[in-house]
Amino acid sequence: IIVTEQNSRAFGKTVEEVQQLLPKDQQIYEKMIFSMIIPEVKQELQKLGDRDTAVLYGLEAHVCLQQTCLDLLEDGYNVYLLTDGISSQKQLDRSAALKRMEQAGAIITTSESAIYEMIRDAKSPIFKQFLPIVKEKNPNPFTEL
């Protein structure tokens, strides 16, 4: 997990609900450019070795997320966009950004779909750990792309 905050003095820190789910020693990188691909994040990505896939979610779809996605695609990553975890203040901005990122080569999916794709098999030892998360009913305001 790599976490960034865009100008936290102006926009605030990562919300408490998300912070509680992060590992205790999670590094959160402050940034001023819109893409999260800052030098510190590039170093983190290099430490991960030969991984070629990134899963993105966050705010704002048409600014930070889009620029991060386009940078990752340019760097050769397969980029998955979790639509139920992506937002913008305006629905039109969100829709246009998702369409643009998909046209650029990103894969549009949902968190549930991505979880099952990563687990791949109901016999997987981690399947039962994720089942309660997948079954949890959360209202999703994003019924449309």
Side-chain angles (χ1 to χ4, degrees):
I1 299 173
I2 300 175
V3 181
T4 61
E5 293 174 339
Q6 176 68 29
N7 190 7
S8 62
R9 285 189 201 148
F11 299 114
K13 297 281 190 186
T14 301
V15 295
E16 187 62 33
E17 296 87 348
V18 171
Q19 285 191 30
Q20 291 176 1
L21 298 173
L22 297 172
K24 296 287 184 227
D25 61 345
Q26 177 69 49
Q27 173 74 44
I28 298 178
Y29 298 100
E30 175 75 18
K31 65 185 186 67
M32 294 300 287
I33 67 167
F34 298 122
S35 173
M36 74 180 284
I37 308 303
I38 58 176
E40 298 88 344
V41 169
K42 283 184 181 182
Q43 288 176 351
E44 287 296 320
L45 290 171
Q46 289 171 351
K47 287 181 197 174
L48 295 174
D50 61 353
R51 293 189 186 176
D52 64 353
T53 300
V55 178
L56 296 180
Y57 54 94
L59 312 167
E60 293 270 325
H62 62 294
V63 184
C64 297
L65 203 86
Q66 180 174 276
Q67 290 186 32
T68 299
C69 175
L70 296 174
D71 285 347
L72 288 167
L73 288 168
E74 187 176 305
D75 288 345
Y77 283 84
N78 299 308
V79 179
Y80 286 75
L81 302 170
L82 304 184
T83 58
D84 51 335
I86 295 172
S87 186
S88 289
Q89 291 181 47
K90 298 176 188 166
Q91 180 63 30
L92 179 61
D93 289 333
R94 180 181 179 274
S95 298
L98 288 171
K99 192 173 284 188
R100 179 169 181 213
M101 291 184 283
E102 183 176 37
Q103 288 172 341
I107 299 159
I108 303 290
T109 191
T110 65
S111 55
E112 183 174 338
S113 180
I115 288 169
Y116 281 120
E117 190 170 339
M118 287 184 259
I119 293 173
R120 303 201 62 81
D121 189 335
K123 294 178 184 173
S124 168
I126 62 170
F127 174 71
K128 288 188 179 186
Q129 293 174 18
F130 280 92
L131 207 50
I133 296 168
V134 174
K135 286 185 174 183
E136 191 174 307
K137 298 292 181 197
N138 290 317
N140 184 353
F142 309 117
T143 56
E144 299 177 14
L145 294 178

